Structure formats: structure tokens, C-alpha cells
């Protein structure tokens, strides 16, 4: 049999459409709330700890709203960082051959085509960069293109979504009040152990019994010392442990790799977590 080699293809922003339903288990009324915000053209702020499912929720909503509306609803994600400039979001002129051509950035592409634009960890971006989204995040729904000397109205299907982890807030890294108050906010947290076990089983491909043990480990680890452990293991890390176990790695070793070493470098805290792992997986 000839060996089949899969080659990744570069996609345009507009092509990032979910054809298959992403796995997502609702925790509360976030699906109904987000749907209402979308149909009211209200920008949304997703707040919650890392690895609690914010990005997966947005992937699911992109698929669900597109299915309900009978159209493609792409999801364009921008990972924000301190060097992110307005040009990175909006676009810039580039030299191609002997011509200078305008190339849309991800935000402009989303505004034009009617996509969800997701600014992940928005507090990492410079505050002066975020100011450019203000006219897009209120009743005007316009995006200024200063370098082109004009602006564009947002497509009716366009929605602006940002996210951040309130646990990382500080005086230096926080949203300007004028930015924050342009968004409706949905709070996320880690699900209760029973629901988290369903998620681990579904995403990690392990039995429900094993998923319950991992969820129990996550619950206990999050209760450890607050000073030494800045943030407990996320649902994402528990899923990683499940997948390692599914690949034949022993449960304790999988938890050591995906959970213990991943969340802390402190020897005392690591030993405390190893003791928890040993208690859950005797």
C-alpha cells in the first residue's frame, strides 16, 4: 500500500470555517447568552482562567451560529502580545514586484467578510493598539483605515470577541475602562468534577472511570497553597494527561508530565502534587 502523506495547506482567514461540530459541553447558559449577544451585534468579553474552555467554546459557537444561520461563519483568532501593532491587526502596504499593494490584516478581513474576530489574551496587547477597536466595538461598528484615508462598515455577521484571564490582572496589564465597557462579559470557570469528567472523557478518549479520577485530581490540586501555586491545573492539562494514558503511559507518569511539572517549578509544591497523584492513582 502506498504511504499517504498529509500535507498541511495554508488557509486564508475566510476559510477557517468549522464544518464538523467541535466537542463542547455547556457549563451554564453561556451558549444562549452568546447567541443573544451575536444577534444583537454586541461585542463579547470572555473572562476566565487559562485552559477552562474559552477558545473551544468560541469554536463551537462559530460552528453553531453558522449552522443555525445557514452560512459560513469563519473564526479568525489573533494571539495578542506586547509587540502587536495596529498595522498587524488592520493591514499594511507591501511591496510586490514593482507595485505597492494593500494587504488586509486579520481584523480587516473579519470586518469585511463577516467573521468572528477573536483577540485572545487581549490584555497582553498595548493599550494604544487596542484603542483602534473602539469605533468597532460600539454602535458605530466601523473600522478606521488611517493608512488608506478611510473606514469600512462591519459586515452584519461580524462579531468582535476578546478574552483574558482575570487572575493575571495587574495595574500594568488590564483593559482600559473605556475598552472594557464596550463589551458584554461572560465569566468562565473550571466546571464541577462531574462535568469536567465528561469533558476529559470526550476530549481525552478515556473511560469515564479514569476521567473521574483525573477530575478529582484537578479539584484537589486547585485547593493547594495559593501562594506557591499561581493557578491550579487546567482542564486542558487534565485532558493532556488522559491522552498520554491513552497512548500507553502509566497514569502516575502521565500526571507527572502533563500536570505536576507543567503547573509548578517549586519542589515543595511538586512533591505535594505528586502525593495527590499517588492518592488518586494508588
Amino acid at each position: 500500500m502506498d504511504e499517504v502523506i498529509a500535507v498541511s495547506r495554508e488557509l486564508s482567514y475566510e476559510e477557517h470555517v468549522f464544518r464538523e461540530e467541535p466537542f463542547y459541553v455547556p457549563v451554564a447558559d453561556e451558549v444562549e447568552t452568546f447567541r443573544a449577544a451575536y444577534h444583537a451585534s454586541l461585542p463579547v468579553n470572555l473572562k476566565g482562567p487559562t485552559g477552562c474552555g474559552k477558545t473551544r467554546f468560541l469554536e463551537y459557537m462559530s460552528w453553531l451560529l453558522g449552522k443555525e444561520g445557514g452560512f459560513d461563519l469563519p473564526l479568525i483568532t489573533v494571539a495578542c502580545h506586547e509587540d502587536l501593532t495596529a498595522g498587524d491587526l488592520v493591514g499594511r502596504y507591501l511591496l510586490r514586484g514593482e507595485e505597492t499593494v494593500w494587504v488586509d490584516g486579520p481584523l480587516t478581513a473579519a470586518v469585511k467578510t463577516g467573521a468572528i474576530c477573536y483577540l485572545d489574551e487581549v490584555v497582553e496587547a498595548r493599550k494604544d493598539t487596542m484603542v483602534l477597536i473602539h469605533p468597532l466595538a460600539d454602535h458605530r461598528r466601523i473600522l478606521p483605515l488611517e493608512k488608506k484615508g478611510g473606514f469600512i462598515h462591519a459586515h452584519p455577521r461580524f462579531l468582535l470577541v476578546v478574552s483574558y484571564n482575570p487572575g493575571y490582572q495587574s495595574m500594568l496589564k488590564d483593559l482600559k475602562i473605556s475598552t472594557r465597557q464596550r463589551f458584554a462579559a461572560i465569566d468562565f470557570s473550571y466546571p464541577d468534577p462531574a462535568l469536567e469528567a465528561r469533558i476529559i472523557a470526550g476530549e481525552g478518549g478515556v473511560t469515564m472511570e479514569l476521567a473521574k479520577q483525573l477530575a478529582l485530581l484537578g479539584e484537589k490540586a486547585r485547593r493547594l497553597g495559593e501562594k506557591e501555586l499561581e493557578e491550579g491545573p487546567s482542564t486542558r492539562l487534565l485532558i493532556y494527561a488522559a491522552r498520554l494514558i491513552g497512548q500507553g503511559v502509566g497514569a502516575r507518569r502521565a500526571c507527572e508530565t502533563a500536570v505536576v511539572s507543567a503547573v509548578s517549578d517549586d519542589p515543595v509544591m511538586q512533591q505535594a502534587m505528586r502525593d495527590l497523584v499517588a492518592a488518586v492513582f494508588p
Side-chain angles (χ1 to χ4, degrees):
M1 181 181 294
D2 293 335
E3 184 179 4
V4 178
I5 301 176
V7 178
S8 296
R9 183 173 69 87
E10 183 175 338
L11 298 175
S12 67
Y13 293 128
E14 298 80 4
E15 291 181 284
H16 194 206
V17 177
F18 294 91
R19 304 294 180 191
E20 305 293 332
E21 179 180 353
F23 179 83
Y24 181 75
V25 180
V27 176
D29 63 349
E30 69 273 20
V31 171
E32 294 77 13
T33 303
F34 188 92
R35 181 192 285 117
Y38 177 79
H39 290 300
S41 298
L42 299 179
V44 179
N45 180 5
L46 306 181
K47 300 162 53 183
T50 185
C52 69
K54 300 188 295 293
T55 300
R56 177 54 61 89
F57 166 71
L58 203 50
E59 292 173 351
Y60 174 78
M61 292 308 301
S62 173
W63 168 83
L64 179 65
L65 292 170
K67 178 187 175 186
E68 292 176 346
F71 50 74
D72 288 343
L73 184 59
L75 174 61
I76 298 175
T77 300
V78 179
C80 295
H81 53 83
E82 60 186 7
D83 293 326
L84 187 73
T85 66
D88 294 329
L89 284 176
V90 175
R92 55 172 52 92
Y93 284 104
L94 296 178
L95 187 62
R96 286 183 178 173
E98 297 182 353
E99 290 184 302
T100 302
V101 297
W102 172 263
V103 177
D104 287 340
L107 181 58
T108 304
V111 168
K112 284 182 176 178
T113 61
I116 294 175
C117 186
Y118 177 36
L119 305 182
D120 190 16
E121 294 298 341
V122 67
V123 294
E124 298 293 337
R126 293 183 342 206
K127 293 180 180 180
D128 58 336
T129 300
M130 285 300 99
V131 171
L132 77 88
I133 68 175
H134 283 189
L136 197 57
D138 58 27
H139 65 283
R140 293 169 288 178
R141 283 175 61 85
I142 59 174
L143 177 63
L145 300 175
E146 293 184 3
K147 292 184 178 179
K148 298 184 75 174
F151 61 87
I152 52 178
H153 286 282
H155 190 288
R157 295 175 191 161
F158 167 79
L159 188 71
L160 182 62
V161 180
V162 302
S163 75
Y164 74 99
N165 180 351
Y168 295 155
Q169 276 184 274
S170 69
M171 292 298 292
L172 297 177
K173 288 190 175 182
D174 195 5
L175 284 178
K176 290 167 67 76
I177 293 177
S178 57
T179 303
R180 175 193 290 263
Q181 295 199 8
R182 280 175 161 78
F183 291 83
I186 300 177
D187 289 299
F188 284 75
S189 185
Y190 296 122
D192 63 62
L195 192 58
E196 190 164 40
R198 284 182 56 196
I199 296 169
I200 294 169
E203 287 273 338
V206 296
T207 64
M208 182 56 75
E209 181 180 359
L210 181 55
K212 287 180 178 177
Q213 289 177 283
L214 289 168
L216 177 62
L217 173 63
E219 181 189 26
K220 290 182 176 295
R222 289 167 194 149
R223 294 178 180 173
L224 288 175
E226 296 178 355
K227 292 183 179 179
E228 294 81 0
L229 195 61
E230 187 173 0
E231 197 165 84
S234 65
T235 304
R236 179 192 295 132
L237 289 182
L238 298 175
I239 292 169
Y240 286 176
R243 290 178 177 170
L244 288 176
I245 295 170
Q247 292 296 317
V249 179
R252 288 193 182 188
R253 181 57 181 152
C255 293
E256 171 83 21
T257 303
V259 179
V260 176
S261 296
V263 300
S264 177
D265 294 323
D266 180 74
V268 176
M269 183 55 63
Q270 286 187 342
Q271 186 56 52
M273 294 187 66
R274 288 191 190 97
D275 293 342
L276 282 180
V277 172
V280 173
F281 295 99

